[in-house]
């Protein structure tokens, strides 16, 4: 089983986001960069599959120099090696998917795991786009995955609004991971030591031959409008509750 | 017909979700008279009345048996073919689990740019569509231009206003050529979670509990309030992690993103990751014993007090109001 896990480095979810000087991207100072939380489920799943079925887990990440740190962390979790597609250019989802698909073609794979969405652009596109580019089937937002290596088929459970959908498909395939799929492990000290010696192959974006013109452009980024100062009620619960319901009914007109 | 908008919709036994009507109303507003709806599955033509009423000028219903259950690759290929036939220059999907799975696959096939989970779509001077979408979990909003010939979008539920018209959608037949190989990924079962509760992402009112609830047994208090209000029940993440409520209740950056009229945050401190999921709410009501809790900064109304006294009182006051109405 050869598994590729696509990992994006994103601002920590607790980071305050401020609009940068260009008015179209975020101010990059003071940001703590972390592995996209959903990608951790993808990594854990890949490691568990390797424990059961043997093979290799390779992490691929597209981004600037700082991304190496994220790849190193995945190696400390137990990933075998990494590929870093280096670029300082901000790519759109299609370009990112094309770059990742180009690496996937070089590497070959049985399974590709991604997060269900990156918590910076919140696009939820790169997994399905890659699966189109690689001409393989997909399942997104997966909560449970079982693999039958004899028939080369997968059964995946995915989350819908108020329902679970069970999907069957052959692999090679692309799976996008949802929270609940597993409980990601922490790096252990021996693995952190070992990670230092593991290979991170660097690939320049320019050498992958992807279209340099994005299809999607962000022309402005704005911060959400501040909410008006809250009306705070205190004192006797019953009176406060009556006042609240009154306000919701007469002022907000939502009850 | 080059300026057509194709609205791709999910239906079940002729019934569509509210977001489908939102998508049609929006499309009709953007390109009057140029809206083609696309539905799948046997019996899908029975949605024609309602789709027409809310803004579909034409309806393509792919009612062949092969569309009876969902397949991301099969459905995406079908959308691609329909798009080619109606020569749509824009496609709108609902940003539901279904639409979020299908839209990027279609965008990939058409080599089109996609703006996901949009809260606003407008038309620019050249008639191209421009979207606004939340990024960084709603901590910022991006204005997005799509430069590919076909523009694709998915829209977040519960945001657009819905407008009834008196049209009736004209049936349009689109012969699709698809082989079994196009249906690799297949839905073999759908397990509905036994509940008649309103889905969180579509709910108009949500009553949500956090760690301040102290234990699973106390969610009864929220259920009672929710029932009085006709609301859905949600939670913060730790509460779902503890197993006090199902995972499907979890709201926030790594859970569901909701946009109700009123969101009641009960015993929830208001961490940035939780606020990320609720910033689209029209009104936020905080009930918390700690007057310093950050949730009060995000709220429109708040009660500082012990939720075990406050919540039953609110339920009582709501029931009294309903009795008057
Ligand atoms: C990567 C990442 C992603 C995350 N994603 C999410 C997410 O999607 N959603 C999410 O919710 N969290 C998320 N979190 C967790 C988040 O940071 C907070 O820890 C969490 O939201 C806190 O939940 P809470 O408000 O229920 O609990 P607490 O922070 O413990 O707050 C409990 C509140 O209850 C109040 N209270 C206690 N007793 C009473 C009483 N008797 N009456 C009234 N009030 C009372 C307290 O004053 C307090 O404000 C994420 C964290 C990380 C690191
Ligand atoms: N630059 C990138 N490098 C590696 N993986 C990525 C990158 N961008 C997106 N991905 C993967 O695609 C998933 C979905 O991202 P997105 O479509 O941006 O929401 C992420 O969770 C990652 O697994």
């Amino acid at each position: 089983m050869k598994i590729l896990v696509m990992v994006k480095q994103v601002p920590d979810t607790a980071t305050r986001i401020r609009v940068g000087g260009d008015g179209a991207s975020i101010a990059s100072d003071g940001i703590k960069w972390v592995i996209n939380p959903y990608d951790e489920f993808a990594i854990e799943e890949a490691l568990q599959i390797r424990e059961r079925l043997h093979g290799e887990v390779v992490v691929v990440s597209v981004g600037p120099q700082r991304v190496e740190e994220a790849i190193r962390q995945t190696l400390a979790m137990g990933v075998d090696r990494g590929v870093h597609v280096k670029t300082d250019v901000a790519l759109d989802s299609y370009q990112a998917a094309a770059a990742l698909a180009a690496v996937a073609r070089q590497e070959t794979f049985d399974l590709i795991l991604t997060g269900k969405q990156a918590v910076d652009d919140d696009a939820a596109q790169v997994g399905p786009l890659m699966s189109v580019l690689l001409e393989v089937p997909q399942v997104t937002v997966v909560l449970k995955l079982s693999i039958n290596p004899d028939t080369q088929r997968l059964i995946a459970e995915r989350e819908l609004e108020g329902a679970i959908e069970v999907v069957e498909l052959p692999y090679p395939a692309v799976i996008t991971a949802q929270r609940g799929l597993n409980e990601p492990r922490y790096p252990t000290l021996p693995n952190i030591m070992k990670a230092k010696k593991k290979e991170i192959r660097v690939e320049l974006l320019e050498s992958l031959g992807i279209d340099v013109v994005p299809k999607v452009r962000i022309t402005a980024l704005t911060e959400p409008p501040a909410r008006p100062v809250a009306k705070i009620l205190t004192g006797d619960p019953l009176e406060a509750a009556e006042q609240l319901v009154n306000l919701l009914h007469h002022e907000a007109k939502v009850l | 017909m080059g300026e057509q908008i194709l609205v791709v919709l999910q239906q079940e036994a002729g019934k569509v979700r509210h977001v489908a009507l939102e998508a049609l109303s929006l499309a009709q507003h953007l390109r009057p008279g140029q809206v083609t709806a696309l539905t799948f599955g046997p019996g899908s033509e029975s949605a024609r009345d309602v789709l027409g009423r809310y803004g579909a000028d034409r309806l393509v219903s792919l009612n062949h048996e092969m569309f009876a259950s969902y397949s991301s690759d099969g459905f995406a290929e079908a959308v691609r073919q329909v798009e080619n036939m109606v020569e749509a220059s824009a496609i709108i999907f609902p940003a539901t689990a279904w639409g979020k799975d299908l839209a990027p696959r279609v965008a990939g096939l058409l080599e089109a740019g996609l703006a996901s989970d949009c809260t606003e779509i407008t038309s620019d001077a050249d008639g191209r569509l421009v979207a606004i979408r939340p990024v960084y979990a709603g901590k910022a909003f991006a204005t997005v231009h799509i430069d590919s010939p076909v523009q694709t979008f998915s829209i977040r539920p519960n945001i657009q206003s819905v407008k009834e018209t008196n049209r009736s959608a004209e049936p349009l037949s689109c012969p699709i050529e698809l082989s079994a190989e196009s249906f690799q990924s297949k839905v073999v079962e759908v397990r509905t979670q036994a509940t008649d509760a309103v889905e969180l992402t579509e709910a108009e009112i949500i009553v949500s509990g956090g760690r301040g609830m102290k234990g699973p047994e106390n969610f009864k208090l929220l259920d009672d309030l929710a029932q009085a209000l006709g609301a859905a029940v949600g939670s913060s993440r730790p509460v779902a992690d503890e197993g006090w409520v199902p995972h499907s209740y979890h709201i926030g950056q790594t859970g569901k993103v909701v946009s109700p009229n009123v969101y009641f945050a009960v015993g929830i401190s208001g961490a940035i990751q939780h606020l990320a999921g609720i910033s689209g709410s029209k009104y936020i009501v905080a009930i918390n014993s700690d007057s310093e809790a950050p949730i009060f900064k995000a709220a429109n109304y708040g009660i500082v007090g012990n939720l075990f006294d406050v919540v039953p009182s609110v339920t009582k006051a709501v029931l009294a109001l309903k009795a008057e109405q």
Side-chain angles (χ1 to χ4, degrees):
Chain A
M1 209 63 184
K2 177 156 177 188
I3 307 168
L4 306 182
V5 187
M6 306 308 176
V7 170
K8 188 176 192 184
Q9 194 187 41
V10 296
D12 184 273
T13 52
T15 300
R16 204 178 136 225
I17 296 299
R18 285 168 303 118
V19 176
D22 66 352
S25 62
I26 59 166
S28 57
D29 51 304
I31 290 181
K32 183 179 165 210
W33 295 94
V34 299
I35 294 173
N36 182 39
Y38 296 106
D39 300 359
E40 294 186 3
F41 304 112
I43 298 162
E44 177 62 36
E45 196 64 15
L47 295 174
Q48 289 187 14
I49 296 168
R50 187 190 61 190
E51 280 155 16
R52 287 199 308 273
L53 302 171
H54 307 292
E56 192 186 21
V57 177
V58 181
V59 152
V60 189
S61 187
V62 180
Q65 181 56 43
R66 59 172 156 76
V67 164
E68 191 188 314
E69 174 63 28
I71 298 177
R72 203 57 79 184
Q73 274 173 332
T74 71
L75 299 180
M77 286 173 75
V79 166
D80 295 300
R81 60 187 173 86
V83 180
H84 178 184
V85 179
K86 227 181 202 164
T87 177
D88 288 326
V89 182
L91 304 177
D92 75 1
S93 303
Y94 201 96
Q95 292 172 307
L100 294 167
V103 174
R105 269 188 224 105
Q106 295 173 351
E107 287 279 342
T108 75
F109 60 93
D110 294 298
L111 270 189
I112 293 180
L113 291 165
T114 76
K116 78 150 183 176
Q117 108 187 29
V119 300
D120 53 357
D121 58 33
D122 287 325
Q125 294 188 25
V126 167
L129 286 173
M130 272 172 54
S131 82
V132 172
L133 291 166
L134 295 165
E135 298 181 58
V136 297
Q138 73 186 45
V139 202
T140 58
V141 199
V142 170
L143 291 169
K144 196 172 166 193
L145 180 66
S146 49
I147 303 175
N148 186 337
D150 300 327
T151 57
Q152 293 250 323
R153 290 187 76 80
L154 309 171
I155 296 177
E157 293 186 8
R158 63 185 298 264
E159 188 175 65
L160 304 183
E161 293 83 6
I164 301 284
E165 195 171 66
V166 185
V167 182
E168 229 189 281
L169 66 162
Y171 64 83
V174 174
I175 309 291
T176 83
Q178 165 69 320
R179 191 186 155 75
L181 180 61
N182 52 45
E183 204 47 65
R185 69 192 66 187
Y186 291 102
T188 59
L189 198 56
N191 272 338
I192 294 171
M193 298 314 287
K194 269 193 242 160
K196 296 199 170 120
K197 295 197 197 76
K198 289 180 182 169
E199 182 203 341
I200 299 180
R201 176 161 70 84
V202 176
E203 187 74 59
L204 294 178
L205 180 73
E206 297 73 42
S207 67
L208 295 175
I210 67 154
D211 193 348
V212 293
V213 184
K215 299 183 193 302
V216 175
R217 280 177 297 130
I218 294 178
T219 52
L221 200 64
T222 53
E223 285 168 29
R227 275 180 194 272
V229 179
K231 285 198 178 149
I232 305 292
L233 311 168
T234 49
D236 177 57
L238 207 53
E239 271 169 35
E242 275 165 8
Q243 281 178 40
L244 173 69
V245 169
N246 211 8
L247 285 166
L248 289 171
H249 180 57
H250 290 292
E251 189 178 83
K253 303 201 184 331
V254 287
L255 289 192
Chain B
M1 293 223 295
E3 291 309 307
Q4 286 284 312
I5 298 185
L6 185 64
V7 180
V8 181
L9 301 172
Q10 187 182 20
Q11 66 82 36
E12 230 165 294
K15 279 221 212 56
V16 295
R17 283 176 182 273
H18 183 73
V19 63
L21 312 182
E22 292 182 63
L24 289 169
S25 297
L26 175 64
Q28 188 56 242
H29 169 76
L30 291 168
R31 303 259 172 92
Q34 317 233 48
V35 179
T36 303
L38 168 59
T39 57
F40 298 90
S44 55
E45 67 283 353
S46 63
R48 204 179 110 201
D49 268 0
V50 61
L51 299 182
R53 203 145 24 90
Y54 287 92
D57 297 296
R58 277 159 295 276
L59 172 64
V60 179
S61 23
L62 299 180
N63 48 16
H64 192 279
E65 195 51 46
M66 67 187 162
F67 296 111
S69 55
Y70 180 65
S71 156
S72 48
D73 41 334
F75 279 44
E77 176 55 24
V79 178
R80 187 189 70 79
Q81 292 186 22
V82 172
E83 195 283 330
N84 279 333
M85 275 181 271
V86 303
E87 296 182 344
S89 59
I91 312 182
I92 299 179
F93 297 85
T96 55
W98 183 86
K100 280 181 160 173
D101 188 64
L102 183 57
R105 185 125 196 142
V106 171
L109 291 175
L110 293 167
E111 298 185 24
L114 166 65
S116 333
D117 213 16
C118 303
T119 49
E120 207 175 312
I121 303 177
T122 50
S123 192
D124 72 6
D126 308 323
R128 298 280 290 172
L129 302 181
V130 181
I132 295 183
R133 55 182 304 268
V135 288
Y136 299 95
K139 289 183 232 167
F141 285 80
T143 305
V144 174
H145 289 253
I146 300 173
D147 296 331
S148 52
V150 179
Q151 302 183 296
T152 61
F153 306 87
S154 64
I155 60 162
R156 178 175 290 189
N158 253 7
I159 307 272
Q160 310 298 327
S161 55
V162 157
K163 213 169 135 202
E164 268 193 75
T165 67
N166 50 8
R167 6 180 101 50
S168 61
E170 177 194 325
L172 189 69
S173 93
C174 274
I176 296 291
E177 277 176 46
L178 273 181
S179 65
E181 279 91 87
S182 301
F183 290 77
Q184 303 257 316
S185 174
K186 270 200 208 151
V187 172
V188 291
E189 188 190 344
V190 179
R191 285 204 298 269
T192 329
Q193 281 144 5
T195 150
D196 45 18
V198 199
E199 221 295 303
L200 281 172
T201 54
E202 291 183 349
E204 304 238 313
I205 306 179
I206 294 173
V207 176
S208 197
R211 251 194 319 229
M213 295 302 297
K214 303 281 191 298
E217 64 285 0
N218 299 324
F219 269 76
K220 170 88 176 61
L221 290 175
L222 299 190
D223 292 340
D224 291 345
L225 176 57
Q227 193 166 14
L229 289 163
V233 180
S235 78
S236 69
R237 174 169 123 179
V239 159
D241 280 352
E242 291 290 328
W244 297 358
V245 296
H247 257 299
S248 56
Y249 279 42
H250 159 199
I251 291 169
Q253 177 149 23
T254 48
K256 287 196 168 132
V257 174
V258 296
S259 34
N261 278 336
V262 196
Y263 184 84
F264 288 85
V266 182
I268 291 178
S269 61
I272 194 163
Q273 295 96 349
H274 188 78
L275 297 180
I278 65 171
S279 59
S281 310
K282 288 195 192 76
Y283 289 91
I284 294 174
V285 177
I287 299 174
N288 200 302
S289 51
D290 173 9
S291 64
E292 298 293 312
I295 189 70
F296 287 116
K297 297 228 163 52
N300 302 83
Y301 302 110
I303 297 183
V304 179
N306 183 346
L307 71 90
F308 294 98
D309 301 326
V310 175
V311 173
S313 304
V314 176
T315 307
K316 218 160 150 190
V318 170
L319 289 173
L321 174 74
K322 300 270 162 176
E324 268 173 45
Q325 283 173 340

